[in-house]
Amino acid sequence: MELSFIPIDYDYFDFQGENYIKIIGRTKDGKRVCLIDNCDVYFYAILKENLSESKINQIIEKIKRIQLKEGARLSKVIKVELKDKNFLGEKVNALKIYISNHKDAKKISESLPHKYFKHIRELDVNYITRYIIEKKLFPLIWHKISGEVLNNSEEFGGIDSVLEVDFCIKIEKIEKSKEQPEFKPKVMAFDIETESFEIGQGEISMISLYDEKIKKVLTHKKINSKEKYIEYYDDEADMLEAFVKIVKKESPDILTGYFSDGFDLPYIKARAEKNRVKLSLGLDGSQLKFSGGMSPRGKIFGIVHVDLFKFIQTAYSQYLESETLGLNDVANELIGEKKSDYEFKPNEKMSEIDWKKFIEYNLQDSIITQKLFLKVWPDMIEFSKIIQEPLFHVSRDGMSSNVDNFIIHNLEKYNEIIEKKPIHDEIGKRRSEGKYEGAFVLEPKPGLYENVVMFDFTSMYASVIITYNLSKSTFLEKKEKNNIEVNLGNVKAYFTKKKGFFPEILEEIINLRKKYKKEYQQSPSPILKARSNAFKLIANAAYGYQGFFGARYYQREAAASTAALARENILEAIKKIKSYGYEIIYSDTDSIAFSQGKKSKKEILKMLDEINNNLPGIMELELEDFYKRGIWVTTRSGEVGAKKKYALINEKNKMKIRGFETVRRDWCNVARELQNKVLEKILSEGNEKSALEYTKKIIIQIEKREIEKEKLIIKTQLKKPLSEYKANTPHVTIAKKMLSLGIPVDPGILIKYYIAESDKKKSLARDRAKLPEEKTPYDIEYYLKKQVIPAVENIFHVFGIKLEDIIKGSKQQTLF
DNA sequence: GACTGAACTATACC
DNA sequence: ACGGGTATAGTTCAGTC
């Protein structure tokens, strides 16, 4: 049989002591198919130099005889081949040791004659990754498959008869299809509401499910509503059974939730256990499984469970402006949908109407989750195709894993043996190496500037890595002839000029990014945008990756050299721009702001060209934008210019605000909004007059207690468990109060509070911190002196105005 | 008891 | 444990006078 097939979910099983892969996917006409196949399982033992041919043959013969008994399984070496390979760019002789079961790789490696080997590698390449590398059956890409249909076959223990698929096929031939039509998966979203926020404590009140066909809320609460989407069940157990039944019947390709690895699925599992309900959601009847220890990942065979939160965290968060990564904020920003505002109440206090609203809210969450999924789907599918790892992994992995995997899947053409992941001791060693010097930041001279030009280096760190060939495999332990030398303060680092695979792969990523960006600009589509963006994200992560202790190709010197050469390049560019007679205002890492002065835009672009003609390698400086005005302020303490804090307005009146309190969520809105207004007025009008008037107005409103509570709320994130805090800050104090009221305070939540009035003049802020719903009037002095005035006084200082004098001069002098 | 600086904490920039 | 370093600024708290 021959068919067009797109792989969606990968899993493996053992049959007669050997490994097999089972892949669930779809055919072009929407049939669901399971493919069964296997591939060679092997690892490499890299030989020491100077071993004679006869000695090597002797070693091979010895290894061939290795056999291990693992429980009922007899594991053995199948064959051994001597190979010419590369390891970290060096030619090596390696034994490719084929074994019968990948689970025994480590055990078998332990019984090798280690004294003949420099390294043992590829023990930590998992079977699914190995299969994809070997057989080139890539995730979410269409393939032409030929094979034998298994129909009530005895083969593989009768696997085809338990699988709920249209066909089960044993693969004979795999070919990538020429045509790659868009694949639209069947996606079901779900969400639960519970009596408790702690996993498994208290019942699940309801479960909502949503896809193109299904729109349901399952509940065992007895309320009097005839809404069509509500399905009533006798108890929690019945409801859970119905959940399993509906998911199985609909059988989506993807089941998605928001934070569902961390909450919904673990909760469902805990309650199912309590109620003795089997969560046999897998296409082979297998149960929902969890893996991953500390941060569990819920897996269902054949239906890919995607926790949208995780993907958004790694692939989107750097572009989001949302204050939290909660479903509400993210959906609002990405798809413009707001959740219905429902206020949580303890169950026993809920009225009939509350329950109806709660059910509606629960359904709404699933609907939003599904829409959000469809919005980010182009990014997810492109990530999976580019990194060549299954959706299940790519949707959850962090960027370091993604970079790791991208490299692993691209090493074949370099004939490279894959480096191992670090384990405990190695991680500890790497972490103890300490920090290295990072980016250069120029101290600005505070002031309001007219006509500001901003240049920046395109993908600066990636360009530096490529231009100077910085990586683990190109790093030299000591100086060699004709190498690249980098000054790292008291020491020097050396890199060979012979192109390494890491910079070369990175260059390919950059080129592909350029290619797809161009294609996107010519004919925009979400897929092309996602593809271009995925390459950009991987390129941007490459620098952090080489300095990250968990990376396979970690090389601290390469990371330190990248930062050092970036500094060198930006300083050189600053010098160059200065030499053309421009006044430099500011610079941070890869960007330079300077005054246009009397020069024309044409002259500036000509200078840019000239600078670019002299830059090394692929380094490239580009125009970020021309700005009408920009403002830089001093630090709070005094005279020096504040770094990482400025505001600009371009010729289309679009503002770019960096670092100011306006963009910080741990300041109250009254201060943020005032500061934003002040910056806007000053930048668009070119003076401080109306901004000052506006500021006075707000100050008076605060003094008259005319500000609504909502605008005074300060939000601070709890970054770790309460018990680990050494300092009793206001937000920790409030978190403790919340805990005593029975509200869960897990790390990561945003603590909201305001500062209230108190008779004691000298009390600490934490003693006056109150929950938003408390009634004590707000502390006028605190909001003036600690929020509003600090937010704007540095800005007025630029114009020589001391805000305090102004206020003193007005009638409200009593406060000061 | 007022003052000062270090420690701790959160959040931004790139 | 699941990218890096640079930077500002708040609150608390221990030590000094």
Side-chain angles (χ1 to χ4, degrees), chain A residues 87-221:
Chain A
F87 182 59
L88 298 176
E90 304 271 334
K91 282 192 176 358
V92 293
N93 286 322
L95 298 183
K96 186 174 182 181
I97 301 169
Y98 295 77
I99 57 173
S100 56
N101 194 305
H102 86 277
K103 290 197 204 77
D104 305 320
K106 196 156 183 302
K107 272 271 167 64
I108 288 179
S109 79
E110 280 160 10
S111 44
L112 295 179
H114 281 261
K115 60 180 172 181
Y116 302 118
F117 304 120
K118 282 200 285 193
H119 309 285
I120 312 281
R121 287 295 184 272
E122 303 202 7
L123 295 168
D124 57 3
V125 176
N126 74 55
Y127 186 63
I128 290 169
T129 303
R130 172 68 71 212
Y131 179 82
I132 294 170
I133 294 170
E134 287 288 298
K135 294 295 188 89
K136 309 197 188 316
L137 182 56
F138 300 115
L140 296 163
I141 284 183
W142 290 101
H143 294 81
K144 241 167 65 191
I145 303 288
S146 22
E148 175 202 338
V149 178
L150 299 177
N151 194 3
N152 285 320
S153 154
E154 285 299 304
E155 213 169 347
F156 311 117
I159 190 171
D160 65 290
S161 49
V162 297
L163 278 173
E164 290 168 52
V165 292
D166 295 304
F167 307 107
C168 198
I169 291 170
K170 192 175 145 191
I171 297 182
E172 279 155 8
K173 203 172 145 221
I174 299 164
E175 217 180 305
K176 189 174 162 185
S177 303
K178 280 210 182 92
E179 298 278 307
Q180 292 290 328
E182 187 186 349
F183 170 62
K184 285 189 178 152
K186 195 169 162 186
V187 182
M188 182 185 265
F190 78 112
D191 182 50
I192 65 171
E193 300 302 336
T194 61
E195 287 177 352
S196 168
F197 291 108
E198 264 172 70
I199 307 292
Q201 307 294 110
E203 295 193 327
I204 298 172
S205 315
M206 60 191 89
I207 305 173
S208 62
L209 295 162
Y210 183 79
D211 66 17
E212 299 90 347
K213 278 163 61 193
I214 300 279
K215 182 177 161 185
K216 284 178 197 290
V217 178
L218 320 178
T219 184
H220 55 98
K221 294 290 163 188

Side-chain angles (χ1 to χ4, degrees), chain A residues 545-561:
Chain A
Y545 171 87
Q546 295 203 98
F548 169 56
F549 55 78
R552 281 181 196 260
Y553 294 99
Y554 169 85
Q555 188 68 47
R556 189 177 175 277
E557 291 86 347
S561 299

Side-chain angles (χ1 to χ4, degrees), chain A residues 687-704:
Chain A
N687 66 65
E688 80 294 357
K689 298 222 163 36
S690 79
L692 193 57
E693 289 312 307
Y694 186 80
T695 303
K696 286 184 194 164
K697 219 170 76 190
I698 298 292
I699 289 174
I700 291 167
Q701 280 182 23
I702 292 171
E703 288 170 341
K704 290 187 178 165

